[in-house]
Amino acid sequence: MIGGTPRWAGPAVGTAAQPEALQSGGGYGGVCPLVRRRAGPAAAAGARAAREAAPRGAADSEPDTDTDPEEAGGGGGVTEDDEVAERIEGGRPLPPAIEAAPAGRAPLSLLELPPELLVQIFGSLPGTDLPSLARVCTTFRRILRTDTIWRRRCREEYGVCENLRKLEITGVSCRDVYAKLLHRYRHILGLWQPDIGPYGGLLNVVVDGLFIIGWMYLPPHDPHVDDPMRFKPLFRIHLMERKCATVECMYGHKGPHNGHIQIVKKDEFSTKCNQTDHHRMSGGRQEEFRTWLREEWGRTLEDIFHEHMQELILMKFIYTSQYDNCLTYRRIYLPPSSPDDLIQPGLFKGTYGSHGLEIVMLSFHGRKAKGTKITGDPNIPAGQQTVEIDLAHPLQLPDIENLRDFSELSRIVLEVQEQVRREEQEREQQQEEEQHSQQAACQPASPLGGEGAEGEETAAGAEGTTQDKAPASQPFVLPMGVISRNEDYPRTCRICFYGTGLIAGHGFTSPERTPGVFVLFDDDRFGFIWLELKSFSLYSRIKVSFQNAQAPSREAFDEMLKNIQSLAT
């Protein structure tokens, strides 16, 4: 990528992996091992018997060796003879290759089971395993063309609740929906951060009916931090016909138009609009700016009296509009939680002075809590760690009258800052002494405490002791002279901690961490007092149930945080 514009090289949306090789055996002896594993007692008994004797009709169910590659990838067998393929639905005739077991004898093979039962068994398997099953024999392959199976897979794996029978009118089957839409684009489902310079963003890609839609989530209008999030579609994917899925750009005000999606690599994809003229307005850039301003800020430029804010808004419009929805996205995960966390981690929207509302991810890391920007500004770009909370150093605020005095709050915070500095020096000195003593004894060095388990235990102990002694809530008011975009902040809080906030000049110049106060109001709201700026930010939880957004492991989440921070730097 050059200047934020995605490179269009390499294959388009990645094709799915080839199926696993089946154990050879031919005919009935080659019954798919995944069926023996998952299809239940009846299937297991049939599989065992199949190795001992082959029943009549074997000649009609020879091993299938010409499975289409797209069938292997999409989980369904998209072949040229689909229009005449047998379907086992309602009162349809049964495949002639299946012969029922004689009365009084248990089935010796899966092929002796009623086809309706085989449809139920196959429909309970993951769609990604079905291509291997289709290679066992032609009978299995015919049964796997039954739309009932794929309707169930669409519903259970991707939550498609639409009446999929309506698809028959358009000639699109449930198998087409699964293989060519849901399975093919499964890698882009979840949360993503667009590469829009310092501004970032939050994209949520979901299955919505018979569409896959990319929704851009926007904070509410400044300074209404408790209002719900806003969202607008950037692209959608759907099946217009059986051949392939259609990608449409939704940017602009002229309706959907032709677009393209390319999976660049793991956890990264790009979008491209092929008709950017649909983004233009008849009134030119001025009309586009006025429309953008109403949507982004909910007001006109004349309503914004602060000159510096006007400059920031105009700068953002000029910068972001140049992309024309041709963007690269990188996957982000929701932070994992543990019972010891101060509150449930997650996404919050917060006030940032002249920059308006921004999205922050709160996560816990032992004795520290971190707020990482998902959206940013020219001073502190998206991906940077905006605040860090030291959970080992709670603050005891003065009474409500003395709290109004900014100098009193400043004195308390600076004393804790000095204490933290001394503790860090002592810890570093102790580590050096331990290293010297270990080297002198010619013994391998053991892991140091510091930020490890011992540090976490200390933090948890300090936090627990403080919360046990502190009242359930205490009065809170901002000191005189501290500026807040939202004056409707809570007047009681649970607990406060020492923390640091990141500040920098325009263009992320001369960044430095400065002391501040983290104020926990309740399970869904917290604040941060920037001591040096004499400014207050109020944060409110984003109450949206995001799907496909959980980190596979703690290590994967930590690696994701490092990646987005390094990109911002």
Coordinates of all heavy atoms in Angstrom, one line a residue, residues 256-313:
P256 N -26.4 1.5 -4.1 CA -25.3 0.5 -4.3 C -24.8 0.5 -5.7 O -25.5 0.7 -6.7 CB -26.0 -0.8 -4.0 CG -27.5 -0.6 -4.2 CD -27.7 0.8 -3.8
H257 N -23.5 0.3 -5.9 CA -22.8 0.3 -7.2 C -21.7 -0.7 -7.1 O -21.3 -1.2 -6.1 CB -22.4 1.7 -7.6 CG -21.7 2.4 -6.5 ND1 -22.4 3.1 -5.5 CD2 -20.4 2.7 -6.3 CE1 -21.5 3.7 -4.7 NE2 -20.3 3.4 -5.1
N258 N -21.0 -0.9 -8.2 CA -20.1 -2.0 -8.4 C -18.8 -1.8 -7.5 O -18.2 -0.7 -7.5 CB -19.6 -2.1 -9.8 CG -18.7 -3.3 -10.1 OD1 -17.5 -3.1 -10.1 ND2 -19.3 -4.5 -10.2
G259 N -18.4 -2.8 -6.8 CA -17.2 -2.8 -5.9 C -16.5 -4.1 -6.0 O -16.8 -5.0 -6.7
H260 N -15.4 -4.2 -5.2 CA -14.6 -5.4 -5.2 C -14.0 -5.5 -3.8 O -13.7 -4.5 -3.1 CB -13.5 -5.2 -6.2 CG -12.5 -6.4 -6.4 ND1 -13.0 -7.6 -6.9 CD2 -11.2 -6.5 -6.0 CE1 -11.9 -8.4 -6.8 NE2 -10.9 -7.8 -6.3
I261 N -13.8 -6.8 -3.4 CA -13.1 -7.1 -2.2 C -12.0 -8.1 -2.4 O -12.1 -9.0 -3.2 CB -14.1 -7.7 -1.2 CG1 -15.0 -6.6 -0.6 CG2 -13.4 -8.4 0.0 CD1 -16.1 -7.1 0.4
Q262 N -10.9 -7.8 -1.8 CA -9.7 -8.7 -2.0 C -9.1 -9.0 -0.6 O -8.9 -8.1 0.2 CB -8.6 -8.0 -2.8 CG -7.3 -8.8 -2.9 CD -6.2 -8.1 -3.7 OE1 -6.5 -7.0 -4.3 NE2 -5.0 -8.6 -3.7
I263 N -9.0 -10.3 -0.3 CA -8.3 -10.7 0.9 C -6.8 -10.7 0.7 O -6.3 -11.5 -0.1 CB -8.8 -12.1 1.4 CG1 -10.3 -12.1 1.7 CG2 -8.0 -12.6 2.6 CD1 -10.8 -13.4 2.2
V264 N -6.2 -9.7 1.3 CA -4.7 -9.5 1.1 C -3.9 -10.6 1.7 O -3.1 -11.2 1.1 CB -4.3 -8.1 1.6 CG1 -2.8 -7.9 1.3 CG2 -5.2 -7.0 1.0
K265 N -4.2 -10.9 3.0 CA -3.5 -11.9 3.8 C -4.3 -12.2 5.0 O -5.4 -11.6 5.2 CB -2.1 -11.5 4.1 CG -2.0 -10.2 5.0 CD -0.6 -9.8 5.3 CE -0.5 -8.5 6.1 NZ 0.9 -8.1 6.3
K266 N -3.8 -13.1 5.8 CA -4.6 -13.4 7.0 C -4.9 -12.2 7.9 O -4.0 -11.4 8.1 CB -3.8 -14.5 7.9 CG -4.5 -15.0 9.1 CD -3.7 -16.0 9.8 CE -4.5 -16.6 11.0 NZ -4.8 -15.6 12.0
D267 N -6.1 -12.0 8.3 CA -6.5 -10.9 9.1 C -6.4 -9.6 8.5 O -6.1 -8.5 9.1 CB -5.8 -10.9 10.5 CG -6.1 -12.1 11.3 OD1 -7.3 -12.7 11.2 OD2 -5.3 -12.6 12.1
E268 N -6.5 -9.5 7.2 CA -6.4 -8.2 6.4 C -7.1 -8.4 5.1 O -7.0 -9.4 4.4 CB -4.9 -7.9 6.2 CG -4.7 -6.5 5.5 CD -3.3 -6.1 5.4 OE1 -2.5 -6.4 6.4 OE2 -2.9 -5.6 4.3
F269 N -7.9 -7.4 4.8 CA -8.6 -7.4 3.4 C -8.8 -5.9 3.0 O -8.6 -5.0 3.8 CB -9.9 -8.1 3.5 CG -11.1 -7.4 4.1 CD1 -12.0 -6.6 3.3 CD2 -11.3 -7.4 5.5 CE1 -13.0 -5.9 3.9 CE2 -12.3 -6.7 6.1 CZ -13.2 -5.9 5.3
S270 N -9.0 -5.8 1.7 CA -9.2 -4.4 1.1 C -10.5 -4.3 0.3 O -11.0 -5.3 -0.2 CB -8.0 -4.1 0.2 OG -6.8 -4.1 0.9
T271 N -11.0 -3.1 0.3 CA -12.2 -2.9 -0.6 C -11.8 -1.8 -1.6 O -11.0 -1.0 -1.4 CB -13.4 -2.3 0.3 OG1 -12.9 -1.1 1.0 CG2 -13.8 -3.3 1.3
K272 N -12.5 -1.9 -2.7 CA -12.3 -1.0 -3.8 C -13.6 -0.7 -4.5 O -14.4 -1.6 -4.8 CB -11.3 -1.6 -4.9 CG -11.0 -0.6 -6.0 CD -10.1 -1.3 -7.0 CE -9.8 -0.4 -8.2 NZ -9.0 -1.0 -9.2
C273 N -13.9 0.6 -4.7 CA -15.1 1.0 -5.4 C -14.7 1.2 -6.9 O -13.7 1.9 -7.2 CB -15.6 2.4 -4.9 SG -17.0 3.0 -5.8
N274 N -15.5 0.6 -7.8 CA -15.2 0.7 -9.2 C -16.0 1.8 -9.9 O -15.9 2.0 -11.1 CB -15.6 -0.7 -9.9 CG -14.7 -1.8 -9.4 OD1 -13.5 -1.6 -9.0 ND2 -15.2 -3.0 -9.4
Q275 N -16.8 2.5 -9.2 CA -17.6 3.6 -9.7 C -17.6 4.8 -8.7 O -18.7 5.1 -8.2 CB -19.0 3.1 -10.0 CG -19.1 2.0 -11.1 CD -20.6 1.5 -11.2 OE1 -21.1 0.8 -10.4 NE2 -21.2 2.0 -12.3
T276 N -16.5 5.4 -8.5 CA -16.4 6.5 -7.6 C -17.2 7.7 -7.9 O -17.4 8.6 -7.1 CB -14.9 6.9 -7.4 OG1 -14.3 7.2 -8.7 CG2 -14.1 5.7 -6.8
D277 N -17.6 7.8 -9.2 CA -18.5 8.9 -9.6 C -19.8 8.9 -8.8 O -20.5 9.9 -8.7 CB -18.7 8.9 -11.1 CG -19.4 7.6 -11.6 OD1 -18.7 6.6 -11.4 OD2 -20.5 7.6 -12.1
H278 N -20.2 7.7 -8.3 CA -21.4 7.6 -7.5 C -21.3 8.3 -6.1 O -22.3 8.5 -5.4 CB -21.8 6.2 -7.3 CG -22.5 5.5 -8.4 ND1 -21.9 5.4 -9.7 CD2 -23.7 5.0 -8.6 CE1 -22.7 4.8 -10.5 NE2 -23.8 4.6 -9.9
H279 N -20.0 8.7 -5.8 CA -19.8 9.4 -4.5 C -20.0 10.9 -4.6 O -20.0 11.6 -3.6 CB -18.4 9.0 -4.0 CG -18.2 7.5 -3.8 ND1 -16.9 7.0 -3.6 CD2 -19.0 6.5 -3.9 CE1 -17.0 5.7 -3.6 NE2 -18.2 5.4 -3.8
R280 N -20.0 11.4 -5.8 CA -20.0 12.8 -6.0 C -21.4 13.3 -5.9 O -22.4 12.6 -6.2 CB -19.4 13.2 -7.4 CG -18.0 12.6 -7.7 CD -16.9 13.4 -7.0 NE -16.8 13.1 -5.6 CZ -16.1 12.1 -5.1 NH1 -15.4 11.3 -5.9 NH2 -16.0 11.9 -3.8
M281 N -21.6 14.6 -5.5 CA -22.9 15.3 -5.5 C -22.9 16.4 -6.5 O -21.9 17.0 -6.9 CB -23.1 15.8 -4.1 CG -23.3 14.8 -3.0 SD -23.7 15.5 -1.4 CE -24.2 14.0 -0.5
S282 N -24.2 16.7 -6.9 CA -24.4 17.7 -7.9 C -23.9 19.1 -7.5 O -23.5 19.9 -8.3 CB -25.8 17.8 -8.3 OG -26.7 18.0 -7.2
G283 N -23.9 19.3 -6.2 CA -23.5 20.7 -5.7 C -22.0 20.8 -5.5 O -21.6 21.8 -5.0
G284 N -21.3 19.8 -5.8 CA -19.8 19.8 -5.7 C -19.3 19.6 -4.3 O -20.1 19.1 -3.4
R285 N -18.1 19.9 -4.0 CA -17.5 19.6 -2.7 C -18.1 20.3 -1.6 O -18.1 19.8 -0.5 CB -16.0 20.0 -2.8 CG -15.2 19.2 -3.8 CD -15.0 17.7 -3.3 NE -13.9 17.6 -2.4 CZ -13.6 16.5 -1.7 NH1 -14.3 15.4 -1.9 NH2 -12.6 16.5 -0.8
Q286 N -18.7 21.5 -1.8 CA -19.3 22.2 -0.7 C -20.5 21.5 -0.2 O -20.7 21.4 1.0 CB -19.7 23.6 -1.2 CG -18.5 24.6 -1.4 CD -18.9 26.0 -1.7 OE1 -20.1 26.3 -1.9 NE2 -18.0 26.9 -1.7
E287 N -21.3 21.0 -1.2 CA -22.5 20.2 -0.7 C -22.1 18.9 0.0 O -22.7 18.5 0.9 CB -23.4 19.9 -1.9 CG -24.6 19.1 -1.6 CD -25.5 18.8 -2.8 OE1 -25.2 19.3 -3.9 OE2 -26.5 18.0 -2.6
E288 N -21.0 18.3 -0.6 CA -20.5 17.0 0.1 C -20.1 17.3 1.5 O -20.3 16.5 2.4 CB -19.4 16.5 -0.8 CG -19.8 15.9 -2.1 CD -18.6 15.5 -3.0 OE1 -17.5 15.4 -2.4 OE2 -18.8 15.4 -4.2
F289 N -19.4 18.5 1.7 CA -18.9 18.8 3.0 C -20.0 19.1 4.0 O -20.0 18.6 5.1 CB -18.0 20.0 2.9 CG -17.5 20.5 4.3 CD1 -16.7 19.7 5.1 CD2 -17.9 21.8 4.7 CE1 -16.3 20.2 6.4 CE2 -17.5 22.2 6.0 CZ -16.7 21.4 6.8
R290 N -21.1 19.8 3.5 CA -22.2 20.1 4.4 C -22.9 18.9 4.8 O -23.3 18.7 5.9 CB -23.1 21.1 3.7 CG -22.6 22.6 3.6 CD -23.8 23.5 3.2 NE -24.2 23.3 1.9 CZ -23.7 23.9 0.8 NH1 -22.8 24.8 1.0 NH2 -24.1 23.7 -0.4
T291 N -23.1 18.0 3.8 CA -23.8 16.7 4.1 C -22.9 15.9 5.1 O -23.5 15.3 6.1 CB -24.0 15.9 2.8 OG1 -24.7 16.7 1.9 CG2 -24.7 14.6 3.1
W292 N -21.6 15.8 4.9 CA -20.8 15.0 5.8 C -20.8 15.6 7.2 O -20.8 14.9 8.2 CB -19.3 15.1 5.2 CG -18.3 14.4 6.1 CD1 -18.0 13.1 6.1 CD2 -17.5 15.1 7.0 NE1 -17.0 12.9 7.0 CE2 -16.6 14.1 7.6 CE3 -17.3 16.4 7.4 CZ2 -15.7 14.4 8.6 CZ3 -16.4 16.7 8.4 CH2 -15.6 15.7 9.0
L293 N -20.8 17.0 7.3 CA -20.8 17.6 8.6 C -22.1 17.3 9.4 O -22.0 17.1 10.6 CB -20.6 19.1 8.4 CG -20.4 20.0 9.6 CD1 -19.1 19.5 10.3 CD2 -20.3 21.5 9.3
R294 N -23.2 17.3 8.7 CA -24.4 17.0 9.4 C -24.4 15.6 9.9 O -24.9 15.3 11.0 CB -25.6 17.2 8.4 CG -26.0 18.7 8.2 CD -27.4 18.8 7.5 NE -27.4 18.0 6.3 CZ -27.2 18.6 5.1 NH1 -26.8 19.9 5.0 NH2 -27.3 17.9 4.0
E295 N -23.9 14.6 9.1 CA -23.8 13.2 9.5 C -22.8 13.0 10.6 O -23.0 12.3 11.5 CB -23.5 12.4 8.3 CG -24.6 12.4 7.2 CD -24.3 11.6 6.0 OE1 -23.1 11.1 5.9 OE2 -25.1 11.3 5.1
E296 N -21.6 13.6 10.4 CA -20.5 13.4 11.4 C -20.7 14.1 12.7 O -20.4 13.6 13.8 CB -19.2 13.8 10.7 CG -18.0 13.5 11.5 CD -17.5 12.1 11.2 OE1 -18.1 11.4 10.3 OE2 -16.5 11.7 11.9
W297 N -21.2 15.4 12.6 CA -21.3 16.2 13.8 C -22.7 16.6 14.2 O -22.9 17.1 15.3 CB -20.4 17.5 13.6 CG -19.0 17.2 13.6 CD1 -18.2 16.7 12.5 CD2 -18.0 17.3 14.7 NE1 -16.9 16.5 12.9 CE2 -16.8 16.9 14.2 CE3 -18.1 17.7 16.0 CZ2 -15.6 16.9 15.0 CZ3 -17.0 17.7 16.8 CH2 -15.8 17.3 16.3
G298 N -23.6 16.4 13.3 CA -25.0 16.7 13.6 C -25.3 18.2 13.7 O -26.2 18.7 14.4
R299 N -24.5 19.0 13.0 CA -24.6 20.5 13.0 C -24.0 21.1 11.8 O -23.4 20.4 11.0 CB -23.9 21.1 14.3 CG -22.4 20.8 14.3 CD -21.8 21.3 15.6 NE -22.1 20.4 16.7 CZ -21.6 20.6 17.9 NH1 -20.8 21.7 18.2 NH2 -21.8 19.8 18.9
T300 N -24.1 22.4 11.6 CA -23.5 23.1 10.5 C -22.2 23.7 11.0 O -22.0 23.9 12.2 CB -24.4 24.2 10.0 OG1 -24.7 25.2 11.0 CG2 -25.8 23.6 9.5
L301 N -21.4 24.2 10.1 CA -20.1 24.8 10.4 C -20.4 26.1 11.2 O -19.5 26.5 12.0 CB -19.3 25.1 9.2 CG -17.8 25.3 9.4 CD1 -17.1 24.2 10.1 CD2 -17.1 25.7 8.1
E302 N -21.5 26.8 10.9 CA -21.8 28.1 11.6 C -22.1 27.8 13.0 O -21.9 28.7 13.9 CB -22.9 28.8 10.9 CG -22.6 29.3 9.5 CD -22.5 28.2 8.4 OE1 -23.1 27.1 8.7 OE2 -22.0 28.4 7.4
D303 N -22.5 26.6 13.4 CA -22.9 26.3 14.8 C -21.6 26.1 15.6 O -21.7 26.1 16.8 CB -23.8 25.1 14.8 CG -25.1 25.3 14.2 OD1 -25.6 26.5 14.1 OD2 -25.7 24.3 13.7
I304 N -20.5 25.8 14.9 CA -19.2 25.6 15.7 C -18.4 26.8 15.7 O -17.8 27.3 14.8 CB -18.4 24.5 14.9 CG1 -19.3 23.2 14.8 CG2 -17.2 24.1 15.7 CD1 -18.7 22.1 13.9
F305 N -18.5 27.5 16.9 CA -17.8 28.8 17.0 C -16.3 28.7 17.3 O -15.6 29.7 17.0 CB -18.5 29.5 18.2 CG -20.0 29.7 18.0 CD1 -20.9 29.0 18.8 CD2 -20.5 30.6 17.1 CE1 -22.2 29.1 18.6 CE2 -21.9 30.7 16.9 CZ -22.7 30.0 17.7
H306 N -15.9 27.6 17.8 CA -14.4 27.5 18.1 C -13.7 27.3 16.8 O -13.8 26.4 16.0 CB -14.2 26.2 19.0 CG -12.9 26.3 19.7 ND1 -11.7 26.1 19.1 CD2 -12.6 26.4 21.0 CE1 -10.7 26.2 20.0 NE2 -11.2 26.4 21.2
E307 N -12.7 28.3 16.5 CA -12.0 28.3 15.3 C -11.1 27.1 15.1 O -11.0 26.5 14.0 CB -11.2 29.6 15.2 CG -10.5 29.7 13.9 CD -9.7 31.1 13.8 OE1 -10.0 32.0 14.6 OE2 -8.9 31.2 12.8
H308 N -10.5 26.7 16.2 CA -9.6 25.5 16.1 C -10.4 24.2 15.8 O -9.9 23.4 15.0 CB -8.8 25.3 17.5 CG -7.9 24.1 17.5 ND1 -6.9 24.0 16.6 CD2 -7.9 23.0 18.3 CE1 -6.2 22.8 16.9 NE2 -6.8 22.3 17.9
M309 N -11.6 24.1 16.3 CA -12.4 22.9 16.0 C -12.8 23.0 14.6 O -12.9 21.9 13.9 CB -13.6 22.9 17.0 CG -14.5 21.7 16.8 SD -15.9 21.6 17.9 CE -15.1 21.3 19.4
Q310 N -13.1 24.1 14.0 CA -13.5 24.2 12.6 C -12.3 23.7 11.7 O -12.5 23.0 10.8 CB -13.8 25.7 12.3 CG -15.1 26.2 12.9 CD -15.4 27.6 12.4 OE1 -14.6 28.3 11.9 NE2 -16.6 28.1 12.8
E311 N -11.1 24.1 12.1 CA -9.9 23.7 11.3 C -9.8 22.1 11.4 O -9.5 21.5 10.4 CB -8.7 24.4 11.8 CG -8.7 25.9 11.6 CD -7.4 26.5 12.3 OE1 -6.7 25.8 12.9 OE2 -7.3 27.7 12.1
L312 N -10.0 21.6 12.6 CA -9.8 20.1 12.7 C -10.9 19.4 11.9 O -10.6 18.3 11.3 CB -9.9 19.8 14.2 CG -8.8 20.2 15.1 CD1 -9.1 19.9 16.6 CD2 -7.5 19.5 14.7
I313 N -12.1 19.9 11.9 CA -13.2 19.3 11.2 C -12.9 19.3 9.7 O -13.1 18.3 9.0 CB -14.5 19.9 11.5 CG1 -14.9 19.6 13.0 CG2 -15.6 19.5 10.6 CD1 -16.1 20.4 13.5

